[in-house]
Amino acid sequence: MRSQERPHFAIIYDMQTPNHLRIACRTPESLATRITKAPFRVIYDSGELGPLGYQDEGVIVPELEKSEPLSSAELAHLAIDLDAPDALRLVKVPQRTNAFMQALGRSGLLFESGLGAVTNAGMTSLAQAHPGKICTTINPAIGRYVGLHIDAMTPGEDLCQMMMGVACSEGGRGLTFCPSITADVISEDLRYAQNPADRLARREQIRRAAAELQGSVVCYTLWLEGSSPNAETYEAYANFQPHNMLHDGTAYRATQPAAVQLMNTGSVGPGSFKSVV
């Protein structure tokens, strides 16, 4: 019956947009096993925000309970050949520091076997989330979830800086992103917002852009599987640009606490690590 059909979320594509995200994979069908789409909504109601632990001024939240597979056309639009440079990649990285850093062309990092964390003097961060959370980023000033967001930059920071997120615990993690909402929605005078009032205005610009597209575009989630501490590899996503695209982590599918290690890596090429998809 038609009333029982799953909803299909319309997607707006702009093939000329340079910020359009592509995901390196062997085939669109292989990518299909690791990616879902879902609508998102903008919440301003304080009565809903507070009990859910979101920041009081409003959030953009993916409705992951409404997630569904991508169509063949949508997969073909996102998928790109494994050899494509700079595409978002889902890869397996070795747990042992030497091999890991050799592939990245860096050295001097530490390895912590408990969660498999790789740390390096402030250039990395480890974020562990409880199972079932649709958003995982927390505003440290107020201890509340920020929802989907675009990372703030400081003057001189690279808008196109690429990062890697390593799922370094047994709990699976996901990266939710919306390529239709990028840093282009932020006015030039707020691009490097520093004081609280400007940062609030910056976040409001992003929320307004999301509200205008609510119901007409979707967000995607790329799902990573967790690994036991004695496994040989961890799964990671690479070549993500947090200063440039609406995104957040998620532990929605996790059944136990899930940690992700974030690192500024620069571009990770097709020969650096084995592809998962």
Side-chain angles (χ1 to χ4, degrees), residues 12-22 179-182 184:
I12 294 175
Y13 288 136
D14 181 356
M15 298 298 289
Q16 304 303 316
T17 302
N19 290 324
H20 176 69
L21 187 96
R22 306 302 294 273
S180 299
I181 302 173
T182 71
D184 292 336

Side-chain angles (χ1 to χ4, degrees), residues 7-13 35-41 62-63 66-70 74 78 148 176-181 210 213-221 245-246:
H8 177 75
F9 309 116
I11 300 176
I12 294 175
Y13 288 136
I35 191 169
T36 59
K37 64 180 179 181
F40 59 82
R41 64 191 182 105
E63 297 188 277
K66 298 180 181 179
S67 293
E68 64 177 43
L70 276 63
E74 293 161 347
L78 283 175
L148 294 170
T176 299
F177 55 89
C178 183
S180 299
I181 302 173
L213 293 176
Q214 187 175 250
S216 62
V217 302
V218 299
C219 53
Y220 303 98
T221 301
M245 186 181 299
L246 190 71

Side-chain angles (χ1 to χ4, degrees), residues 14-225:
D14 181 356
M15 298 298 289
Q16 304 303 316
T17 302
N19 290 324
H20 176 69
L21 187 96
R22 306 302 294 273
I23 303 175
C25 58
R26 294 181 182 86
T27 64
E29 291 75 20
S30 65
L31 177 60
T33 64
R34 288 306 188 97
I35 191 169
T36 59
K37 64 180 179 181
F40 59 82
R41 64 191 182 105
V42 183
I43 306 175
Y44 285 100
D45 180 12
S46 60
E48 183 176 4
L49 292 169
L52 293 175
Y54 295 132
Q55 54 191 19
D56 296 336
E57 71 214 27
V59 293
I60 308 165
V61 179
E63 297 188 277
L64 297 183
E65 71 278 4
K66 298 180 181 179
S67 293
E68 64 177 43
L70 276 63
S71 69
S72 297
E74 293 161 347
L75 286 165
H77 188 71
L78 283 175
I80 196 168
D81 187 79
L82 271 179
D83 293 333
D86 299 339
L88 183 64
R89 319 189 75 85
L90 183 59
V91 296
K92 288 188 176 182
V93 299
Q95 287 205 36
R96 294 297 173 261
T97 308
N98 289 344
F100 185 81
M101 289 301 112
Q102 186 175 20
L104 287 178
R106 298 170 60 184
S107 61
L109 277 77
L110 303 176
F111 179 81
E112 300 175 1
S113 60
L115 287 174
V118 181
T119 59
N120 182 30
M123 294 182 66
T124 63
S125 62
L126 179 68
Q128 182 161 303
H130 296 295
K133 296 297 183 182
I134 63 173
C135 295
T136 59
T137 301
I138 293 178
N139 182 336
I142 59 176
R144 290 183 172 271
Y145 293 103
V146 306
L148 294 170
H149 62 283
I150 298 174
D151 287 6
M153 295 183 294
T154 57
E157 210 165 2
D158 182 7
L159 176 68
C160 297
Q161 169 64 50
M162 294 183 176
M163 294 190 73
M164 173 182 281
V166 184
C168 52
S169 65
E170 295 185 61
R173 287 288 296 260
L175 170 68
T176 299
F177 55 89
C178 183
S180 299
I181 302 173
T182 71
D184 292 336
V185 306
I186 304 170
S187 59
E188 289 290 337
D189 61 319
L190 294 177
R191 191 63 60 86
Y192 298 98
Q194 296 296 302
N195 67 63
D198 286 346
R199 291 172 73 92
L200 180 60
R202 180 184 184 276
R203 291 195 291 272
E204 182 57 27
Q205 286 187 345
I206 298 171
R207 286 196 294 270
R208 283 202 304 267
E212 291 176 3
L213 293 176
Q214 187 175 250
S216 62
V217 302
V218 299
C219 53
Y220 303 98
T221 301
L222 192 62
W223 299 99
L224 289 77
E225 295 181 357

